[in-house]
Amino acid sequence: MKTLGIECATEACSVALFDGDSLVAGELRMLGRGHAEHLVPMISELPDKGRAQRIVVSLGPGSFTGVRIGLAPARALGLAWKCEVLGYPTLALVAAMAGKTHPGPVSVCMTGGHGEWFMQDFGADGLPETALQSLVPANAGAAHELVAGTQAEALAKAQGHGTAVPCWPDARDVLRLPVTLLTADLAPIYGRAPDARLPA
């Protein structure tokens, strides 16, 4: 079975095509902005235009816009190809990536909104140990000595200890995720309340 991976919840935008457990092709681009213009062409540049029997896409947390940009083509391609579409938590992917070189429990620390950080702890099995939090840096703390993510170095420095694994989520590693974290519920995980509020 072929799987298409899509990840664009952060400044990085990445896609990957797998045949079974083997990576066929993939790419990560550090964009900052412009995911909407890059994502579909990146998928089209994959072998057979990325066509797969399963699509795995990030649900966030991350950029509000980036999360939605990833979900929109995933849903559309799922309908067009009549294939399964599953979502996964972005921080879980970062934890799985850290496990490639540092097996064991890890605290993930990622850039959030309005200067806050997304924080969550994961066990050696890659499953969450704590609930996702969005914290101001002064209140952030790692439960584990290993810290991974876009703010890993900043957190380790602030604490005065810890091994930092700075990284951005990459679709080329989605098959490292525990299968129990893949879900057919494609509701975005924003990690914090929206800035805009409806009037009472």
Side-chain angles (χ1 to χ4, degrees):
M1 179 175 68
K2 289 187 177 179
T3 300
L4 171 65
I6 298 173
E7 169 60 66
C8 58
T10 67
E11 302 97 322
C13 181
S14 59
V15 297
L17 182 65
F18 301 86
D19 190 348
D21 294 331
S22 300
L23 177 64
V24 175
E27 181 184 7
L28 179 145
R29 297 179 187 175
M30 292 300 301
L31 298 177
R33 297 179 181 273
H35 293 58
E37 292 78 16
H38 286 260
L39 180 58
V40 172
M42 287 172 68
I43 294 171
S44 297
E45 291 166 8
L46 294 169
D48 198 21
K49 298 187 181 297
R51 192 177 184 97
Q53 289 78 48
R54 181 178 69 162
I55 299 172
V56 181
V57 60
S58 172
L59 299 177
S63 159
F64 279 34
T65 304
V67 171
R68 298 171 79 91
I69 287 170
L71 283 168
R75 288 188 172 113
L77 291 174
L79 289 172
W81 296 343
K82 296 180 173 59
C83 71
E84 181 180 37
V85 182
L86 300 173
Y88 64 86
T90 304
L91 272 62
L93 176 57
V94 173
M97 292 171 60
K100 290 190 298 183
T101 53
H102 297 77
V106 58
S107 294
V108 176
C109 184
M110 300 288 290
T111 304
H114 294 278
E116 295 185 355
W117 291 346
F118 291 126
M119 292 284 306
Q120 194 167 18
D121 301 320
F122 292 82
D125 56 3
L127 297 177
E129 294 180 326
T130 59
L132 169 67
Q133 297 183 82
S134 183
L135 303 169
V136 296
N139 294 338
H144 300 300
E145 189 66 14
L146 181 66
V147 186
T150 56
Q151 294 293 343
E153 291 179 316
L155 179 57
K157 182 178 180 180
Q159 292 186 143
H161 65 87
T163 299
V165 180
C167 61
W168 278 258
D170 189 337
R172 293 172 293 185
D173 285 308
V174 295
L175 295 191
R176 293 183 177 275
L177 284 159
V179 294
T180 54
L181 295 182
L182 301 180
T183 176
D185 180 2
L186 299 181
I189 302 170
Y190 290 127
R192 59 189 302 274
D195 298 324
R197 297 184 184 278
L198 294 174

